[in-house]
Amino acid sequence: MTKSSESPELVVVTGASTGMGAATARELARRGFHVLAGVRREADGKALLADGIEPVILDITNQSHIAALVARIDGDPRQRALRALVNNAGLPCAGPVEVVALDEWRRLFEVNVFGHVALTQALLPALVRSKGRIVNISSLNGKVSMAGYGAYASSKFALEAVSDALRNELAPHGVRVVVVEPGGVKTEMAGLGLTSLSRLSARMTPEQTTRYGALTQALPAHVAAFTEAGVTADIAARTIAKAATDRRPRTRYTIGAMTAFLIRAARFLPDRVLDRMTNSDLRKYYPAGSAVARPA
């Protein structure tokens, strides 16, 4: 992908306030792009402001924010092309399918799926003109779902499906669509999901507590261990930037050795074998002495 130091092409990165998004904005700016970095608050933008990074207030579920971003790109004073859109914004969620409230499911899909679709639809005219690129940040959970992660995984499975359709629809028009699938990454996002999990546990009925109490107690330790074993946001950002800039990109990039292994295993292993693998790992974090139901 070509760029000029005199007139660097534009790249949009959503969810750039912290973590992978902020690291990706910095990495792409370092590579010579002018990054429109989507943030939710003015303070986040000030912390991110640097050469090549222009913070923009962007809630991807807010149509007026999206319209303002389109106007900023279409009215760019230097008439720079939009080279890539990195759909990174997202919400975490943990908890059993039965007890995650429907409003939480809807909010999760509003951000993790519909918000990305809305922004992609709005920016596609500019991306088609430039023969640019869309990079959708999925997850290991976009390919492998397990107990306690159903809602989040569902939203990422949906983003994977949207990406596959877009890749085929846009290939004739010169727009590449790439998926990045991170596993554990050392960011603040995991902690946000656990905050909602503690509220969910407090709302469970006695019957639900009997069914899922041990699981909900295990999830924080499981998430913490997975995150701690993961890569830094800066390492993840280098893979995302590669997906955005490779001349002949792959359709998918994974981040982390365990992620790559599990995604490959999910393609070939029978469902029940994969279930035993994921449940065995999760059971290590169950409270001592708790009864653990085995899958049929």
Side-chain angles (χ1 to χ4, degrees), residues 56-139:
V56 294
I57 298 298
L58 180 62
D59 174 349
I60 61 173
T61 68
N62 186 316
Q63 287 300 318
S64 65
H65 288 186
I66 291 175
L69 178 61
V70 172
R72 163 65 184 84
I73 292 167
D74 289 346
D76 185 71
R78 296 163 71 177
Q79 298 183 321
R80 292 171 290 194
L82 177 61
R83 181 49 51 189
L85 164 63
V86 179
N87 281 315
N88 170 73
L91 289 178
C93 183
V97 169
E98 180 184 351
V99 296
V100 174
L102 280 178
D103 283 348
E104 290 190 50
W105 281 83
R106 293 186 179 103
R107 176 61 178 159
L108 193 68
F109 271 72
E110 193 64 39
V111 175
N112 291 3
V113 184
F114 305 141
H116 296 314
V117 171
L119 185 59
T120 299
Q121 288 176 337
L123 294 184
L124 263 175
L127 288 164
V128 169
R129 287 195 299 269
S130 67
K131 298 189 184 301
R133 188 167 303 175
I134 298 166
V135 179
N136 286 333
I137 309 302
S138 178
S139 167

Side-chain angles (χ1 to χ4, degrees), residues 172-188:
H173 308 289
V175 177
R176 304 285 185 90
V177 179
V178 184
V179 174
V180 177
E181 297 160 334
V185 180
K186 296 173 183 177
T187 69
E188 300 88 341

